[in-house]
Amino acid sequence: ITPDLNSTMKEYQTQADLYSDLYSYFCSGQNRVYYISLEFYMGRSLQNTMVNLALENACDEATYQLGLDMEELEDMEEDAGLGNGGLGRLAACFLDSMASLGLAAYGYGIRYEFGIFNQKIVNGWQVEEADDWLRYGNPWEKARPEYMRPVHFYGRTEHQPGGVKWVDTQVVLALPYDTPIPGYRNNVVNTMRLWSAKAPCEFNLKDFNVGGYIQAVLDRNLAENISRVLYPNDNFFEGKELRLKQEYFVVSATLQDIIRRFKVSKFGSREIARTDFSKLPDKVAIQLNDTHPAMAIPELMRVLVDEEKLTWENAWDICVRTCAYTNHTVLPEALERWPVDLFAHLLPRHLEIVYEINRRHLEKVAAKYPGDNDRLCRMSLIEEGGQKRINMAHLCIVGSHAVNGVAQIHSDILKATIFKDFYEMEPHKFQNKTNGITPRRWLVMCNPGLAEVIAERIGEDFIRNLNQLRELLKFVNDEAFIRDVAKVKQENKLKFAVHLEEHYKVKINPNSMFDVQVKRIHEYKRQLLNCLHIITYYNRIKKEPNKQWTPRTIMIGGKAAPGYHSAKMIIRLITAIGEVINNDPVVGDRLKVIFLENYRVTLAEKIIPAADLSEQISTAGTEASGTGNMKFMLNGALTIGTMDGANVEMAEEAGEENLFIFGMRVDDVDALDKRGYHAEEYYNRLPELKQAIDQIAGGFFSPKQPDLFKEIVNMLMHHDRFKVFADYEDYIKCQEKVNALYKNPKEWTKKVIYNIAGCGKFSSDRTIAQYAREIWGMEPTHEKLPAPDDKQ
């Protein structure tokens, strides 16, 4: 081992690279899956790689002998923050599971120079800072310039007797960087290939004059801006040209790679071996992570029809059988609807193809539902009225053989609401694939104490087969096990308390309940409901300061999209509430409110094992699945939540009596919508709610700017889409039950054990096994490949 981490990692990368190629060769007879995503929220890789390769002890020992500290070394690594939240982190978990299940899988995305911004809190406000994560290089990646591909933009189409040509385009080169994805102790190494944009050498230089040369070279930046920065929106569509360029860039480069690999089936040979594309769906599965890579559908059609000269009918059959689409949200503001004008300008050939897909699609609809013009309008890929737009979700449904939601309730909502017409027409396409998390990162790595306590009782095999956690039900009344689980939690809390003191200069009471809500800041996630509980609890303590209150440290963390004004105001409200409560001597350390700055994968790995209570309080029907909810459950926190997303299935698996479920169900929300939601009714009926709102509105938490939060109050009172007040009363009552149970540590820990035992379903291994069997036509395996150094 060399102290130079960079060169060590390069050496590992070279070996992994060779092994990955060999693995691909062994798998060349089988289907390969290509998971295309605009986001891969990987976090750090060092510790995860050591866990998966069973090298942790060896590396600890080696660094110790060099006089180095492994934890210090781990802390030097930057997070690869190439994602916003759930969707990007899901992709990262899926890569781990696909490798651990022996699938020949590739993750394809963009190598953003700047990932999700770093969040600073300055005077209570969020301030964004660029995430220059590549500043000191990235030891995990290897550039592969030999696989560079051209990507075309702009230009025009020429319709000739021999077919259509897309001409006069601007070219940007896509340079791939490969990152190894090691499976869990099975000697499989898959690849994540991220594309970086490069200007071609002749970029803008063809027609420069003496004065234009310098400018022409500077303008190379314009092409290379494509992979400069991740768009920082979560569940929100921003229809910018650069974003559409990013989406087409990743799709075009990836499809060229897929087709090159399909054609050249002989290992180590560059000779074209396959020209018959009818076998493509048997060898290639493409999974679209939301609509962001939807351009794969018209691009695959363009390649097959214009370049490979297939008939439209054959090409379309191949395209549909190859592609599958995962939907991640039902929020209307998140659905991608690209203006036709922008498309015509940037991707003229693709617009023609989308129009032709739509023409044929609407012919089918009309044939099945003659005379139903409303249905034709609803189901069209092109939305008329005002500015014409392309509905990318409709394109994905029509161009895929499988469409899935990410939790049962979400998949049911898709079929009953936004995709109802499509479900009625092609019910066989619609599936559910409830999300999961990788137990390697989210238990073994981030909570080794708990993993060990579990392994002592049921062995280590649960790491590969999380369903084995059910075995823990035998120990639910075992005094020693109860004690061990509680002890690990207390140790994790002490460790996190030290971390908070070191990094945030806050002292907290480690014997208090750690009540945690960490996720992106969004109105639908209802951090405001949490705020109303905090204020109500504060008011109760102030009213009866001598009562025995359950002490709480309430931690809220998450980033707000830079352009999302309301979300930034919510952060300011949380910090303002904290300033008042944390400095009130009457309250002391019975209640503390902390905003966790710069929440990211690496901070999640520290806070989740330390949490007692997990807040999953979105309005029923808005959170597609959630995955943070599963991480808390696996790490021994109890959940307070609504019947939304995967919370529903968590309650099924652990027993509803072992979660704190409150609030409206989806049907109640629908009924309330029909009746009309009137916030004033709740405000007038519930004195504690009225008091809390009046305090926010009257400047109690912002004495220097009394009307600082008037917009928030106005929203809650007059146009709250997410009905915070409607769930307030039940939420407060439910929080009282939480307080009561926390005073009985033994009963609390028993519920924790029921929760951990019910986590098996929420492994991403189970999710991926279902994708493999039910969508990709592949069979996962736990078989271990021979190690590279095995003398066989």
Side-chain angles (χ1 to χ4, degrees):
I1 284 199
T2 159
D4 180 2
L5 181 64
N6 240 31
S7 64
T8 308
M9 292 311 155
K10 287 294 180 209
E11 203 173 306
Y12 164 60
Q13 167 68 70
T14 308
Q15 287 182 0
D17 214 44
L18 171 69
Y19 205 59
S20 181
D21 285 349
L22 281 167
Y23 180 56
S24 290
Y25 169 59
F26 289 130
C27 298
S28 59
Q30 76 174 84
N31 210 341
R32 298 178 192 204
V33 59
Y34 294 94
Y35 194 85
I36 312 182
S37 179
L38 268 281
E39 302 184 20
F40 286 95
Y41 201 173
M42 303 296 285
R44 291 173 174 171
S45 290
L46 179 57
Q47 196 185 351
N48 186 246
T49 301
M50 292 189 303
V51 164
N52 279 14
L53 269 47
L55 287 174
E56 250 188 316
N57 294 338
C59 291
D60 277 348
E61 179 60 30
T63 48
Y64 175 74
Q65 287 184 16
L66 288 165
L68 299 170
D69 177 50
M70 198 65 197
E71 270 193 49
E72 274 180 42
L73 197 60
E74 286 164 359
D75 263 341
M76 291 167 68
E77 184 179 356
E78 296 275 355
D79 269 43
L82 307 185
N84 278 285
L87 175 147
R89 183 53 236 172
L90 184 79
C93 282
F94 280 4
L95 292 183
D96 181 89
S97 286
M98 289 187 292
S100 297
L101 290 173
L103 298 174
Y106 301 77
Y108 274 92
I110 295 177
R111 180 181 177 267
Y112 299 108
E113 201 176 313
F114 296 92
I116 187 66
F117 61 86
N118 285 314
Q119 179 193 58
K120 292 265 186 290
I121 301 297
V122 180
N123 300 323
W125 297 93
Q126 168 176 299
V127 175
E128 300 88 24
E129 218 174 59
D131 165 41
D132 194 4
W133 73 290
L134 293 169
R135 189 172 44 235
Y136 302 116
N138 172 12
W140 300 105
E141 69 182 12
K142 172 135 183 19
R144 305 297 299 272
E146 67 272 32
Y147 293 118
M148 191 135 60
R149 295 284 169 256
V151 177
H152 297 261
F153 295 101
Y154 305 109
R156 58 192 175 80
T157 58
E158 283 181 356
H159 291 253
Q160 300 162 349
V164 183
K165 282 211 159 43
W166 181 18
V167 298
D168 296 340
T169 57
Q170 285 185 25
V171 175
V172 177
L173 299 176
L175 171 64
Y177 286 78
D178 286 359
T179 298
I181 306 293
Y184 182 70
R185 302 186 185 181
N186 62 354
N187 295 317
V188 169
V189 184
N190 283 345
T191 301
M192 174 177 68
R193 177 163 286 183
L194 302 181
W195 300 101
S196 184
K198 286 282 286 173
C201 292
E202 68 275 13
F203 186 79
N204 270 12
L205 291 175
K206 289 187 286 292
D207 46 16
F208 78 91
N209 51 39
V210 177
Y213 166 71
I214 295 290
Q215 194 53 50
V217 173
L218 296 183
D219 283 348
R220 292 170 61 84
N221 273 329
L222 299 175
E224 293 171 4
N225 277 340
I226 290 174
S227 57
R228 194 79 68 204
V229 61
L230 168 74
Y231 271 85
N233 304 314
D234 188 72
N235 276 300
F236 184 78
F237 170 59
E238 188 172 354
K240 295 282 194 291
E241 181 176 355
L242 180 61
R243 171 67 174 191
L244 184 54
K245 272 188 176 170
Q246 288 181 340
E247 293 183 356
Y248 179 65
F249 174 76
V250 67
V251 153
S252 169
T254 300
L255 277 170
Q256 290 179 66
D257 226 21
I258 291 172
I259 285 165
R260 170 189 61 77
R261 209 175 273 127
F262 171 75
K263 284 181 171 179
V264 179
S265 63
K266 283 192 216 149
F267 178 66
S269 161
R270 301 257 167 126
E271 287 171 35
I272 290 181
R274 286 199 190 107
T275 50
D276 177 8
F277 281 89
S278 66
K279 295 281 187 291
L280 187 80
D282 302 326
K283 295 289 173 191
V284 170
I286 296 173
Q287 192 67 38
L288 307 176
N289 194 24
D290 213 325
T291 56
H292 313 147
M295 290 304 301
I297 292 164
E299 173 65 4
L300 182 54
M301 287 301 289
R302 186 190 68 78
V303 171
L304 294 177
V305 173
D306 294 356
E307 294 180 8
E308 302 294 339
K309 306 301 181 191
L310 272 69
T311 66
W312 181 280
E313 290 73 16
N314 285 346
W316 183 245
D317 175 65
I318 289 165
C319 178
V320 171
R321 290 198 295 127
T322 302
C323 296
Y325 157 57
T326 301
N327 172 277
H328 283 271
T329 184
V330 295
L331 294 181
E333 65 268 34
L335 297 176
E336 293 194 295
R337 294 153 60 248
W338 288 104
V340 163
D341 297 346
L342 176 57
F343 239 80
H345 176 54
L346 189 69
L347 300 166
R349 178 57 183 142
H350 297 78
L351 181 60
E352 293 176 353
I353 290 168
V354 168
Y355 275 142
E356 181 60 14
I357 292 170
N358 195 41
R359 186 185 70 76
R360 290 167 179 253
H361 160 61
L362 291 181
E363 265 181 15
K364 276 191 188 169
V365 177
K368 185 156 188 185
Y369 305 98
D372 192 344
N373 283 331
D374 283 352
R375 187 181 291 260
L376 280 177
C377 285
R378 292 196 307 268
M379 293 184 75
S380 176
L381 309 191
I382 313 293
E383 296 179 358
E384 310 282 348
Q387 193 183 26
K388 283 170 93 173
R389 291 174 175 271
I390 302 174
N391 184 313
M392 301 305 272
H394 290 184
L395 174 62
C396 284
I397 296 167
V398 171
S400 298
H401 69 280
V403 176
N404 73 279
V406 289
Q408 191 63 59
I409 187 176
H410 168 59
S411 298
D412 291 343
I413 287 168
L414 292 180
K415 294 189 290 191
T417 59
I418 59 169
F419 300 153
K420 182 172 189 282
D421 294 319
F422 293 91
Y423 174 64
E424 286 172 1
M425 185 158 160
E426 300 186 290
H428 58 274
K429 281 191 180 183
F430 288 80
Q431 303 189 17
N432 174 58
K433 297 285 170 279
T434 300
N435 284 162
I437 56 171
T438 169
R440 272 73 65 180
R441 182 177 295 264
W442 295 112
L443 179 58
V444 179
M445 190 189 111
C446 74
N447 202 343
L450 182 58
E452 197 176 330
V453 163
I454 293 169
E456 281 169 8
R457 303 314 196 280
I458 65 170
E460 279 189 19
D461 216 35
F462 71 92
I463 301 166
R464 278 191 191 82
N465 177 8
L466 208 63
N467 285 318
Q468 292 188 11
L469 290 179
R470 280 262 174 247
E471 300 289 309
L472 293 176
L473 291 174
K474 295 176 195 161
F475 301 95
V476 80
N477 292 308
D478 182 311
E479 298 287 342
F481 186 58
I482 292 169
R483 202 166 48 246
D484 286 350
V485 170
K487 181 167 172 272
V488 167
K489 179 62 72 180
Q490 200 50 42
E491 285 166 0
N492 291 338
K493 289 173 72 173
L494 284 164
K495 191 173 176 186
F496 190 71
V498 168
H499 174 82
L500 275 186
E501 232 181 297
E502 279 176 14
H503 292 83
Y504 300 90
K505 310 284 173 266
V506 221
K507 248 185 122 52
I508 57 170
N509 170 12
N511 296 313
S512 63
M513 182 201 305
F514 283 14
D515 171 349
V516 183
Q517 187 179 23
V518 284
K519 50 185 77 243
R520 285 295 289 256
I521 310 294
H522 201 299
E523 286 158 280
Y524 87 83
K525 293 177 187 283
R526 296 201 298 191
Q527 282 91 356
L528 286 173
L529 183 57
N530 195 344
C531 288
L532 291 178
H533 169 250
I534 296 171
I535 296 169
T536 302
Y537 199 49
Y538 170 69
N539 288 335
R540 288 181 178 184
I541 296 171
K542 290 284 280 186
K543 194 175 171 187
E544 300 182 78
N546 298 320
K547 202 173 152 187
Q548 281 297 303
W549 299 99
T550 305
R552 285 203 191 209
T553 302
I554 300 175
M555 298 178 242
I556 303 178
K559 292 172 183 176
Y564 190 175
H565 175 72
S566 305
K568 289 184 144 180
M569 287 308 300
I570 291 168
I571 291 175
R572 185 64 192 97
L573 177 62
I574 296 162
T575 56
I577 291 169
E579 283 160 28
V580 170
I581 293 178
N582 300 346
N583 294 303
D584 190 326
V586 176
V587 174
D589 65 0
R590 292 181 289 187
L591 181 58
K592 289 275 180 257
V593 179
I594 292 161
F595 187 84
L596 294 169
E597 185 178 83
N598 203 30
Y599 179 64
R600 59 201 185 283
V601 174
T602 294
L603 187 54
E605 290 162 4
K606 293 179 168 72
I607 179 66
I608 290 172
D612 291 307
L613 185 68
S614 159
E615 301 265 357
Q616 308 296 337
I617 58 179
S618 53
T619 313
T622 63
E623 187 73 87
S625 167
T627 45
N629 47 3
M630 302 168 188
K631 292 164 194 170
F632 281 104
M633 183 182 185
L634 184 58
N635 281 277
L638 296 185
T639 301
I640 183 166
T642 50
M643 277 299 201
D644 197 20
N647 297 355
V648 178
E649 289 160 80
M650 286 162 52
E652 273 170 28
E653 295 295 306
E656 198 174 323
E657 68 281 5
N658 295 311
L659 281 78
F660 297 99
I661 298 291
F662 72 93
M664 297 179 288
R665 309 309 203 244
V666 169
D667 291 348
D668 302 319
V669 175
D670 292 343
L672 183 52
D673 275 327
K674 286 194 180 74
R675 284 202 312 276
Y677 168 67
H678 303 293
E680 325 79 63
E681 290 174 10
Y682 301 92
Y683 172 83
N684 292 323
R685 183 168 62 78
L686 303 167
E688 288 184 305
L689 173 60
K690 181 178 191 301
Q691 182 187 5
I693 292 296
D694 290 350
Q695 284 170 311
I696 297 169
F700 181 86
F701 297 105
S702 53
K704 289 179 183 158
Q705 292 171 267
D707 55 2
L708 181 59
F709 301 117
K710 68 172 189 297
E711 289 172 38
I712 287 183
V713 171
N714 183 48
M715 182 275 289
L716 286 171
M717 293 295 291
H718 303 296
H719 39 90
D720 175 11
R721 293 167 57 202
F722 303 106
K723 307 177 178 63
V724 170
F725 291 4
D727 277 341
Y728 168 83
E729 188 176 18
D730 203 18
Y731 181 52
I732 299 296
K733 283 184 181 150
C734 198
Q735 289 282 18
E736 289 168 11
K737 290 180 194 163
V738 174
N739 283 336
L741 187 67
Y742 193 75
K743 287 181 173 159
N744 186 342
K746 190 173 162 185
E747 289 305 311
W748 179 279
T749 306
K750 279 188 186 181
K751 283 201 192 291
V752 165
I753 295 165
Y754 277 114
N755 273 270
I756 296 170
C759 274
K761 178 178 185 176
F762 305 108
S763 169
S764 47
D765 296 349
R766 186 270 315 153
T767 313
I768 287 299
Q770 288 184 327
Y771 275 97
R773 293 185 178 119
E774 297 164 25
I775 297 179
W776 305 330
M778 300 167 81
E779 189 54 40
T781 175
H782 279 114
E783 212 176 307
K784 191 173 177 178
L785 286 186
D789 50 3
D790 271 6
K791 304 286 181 283
Q792 289 194 359

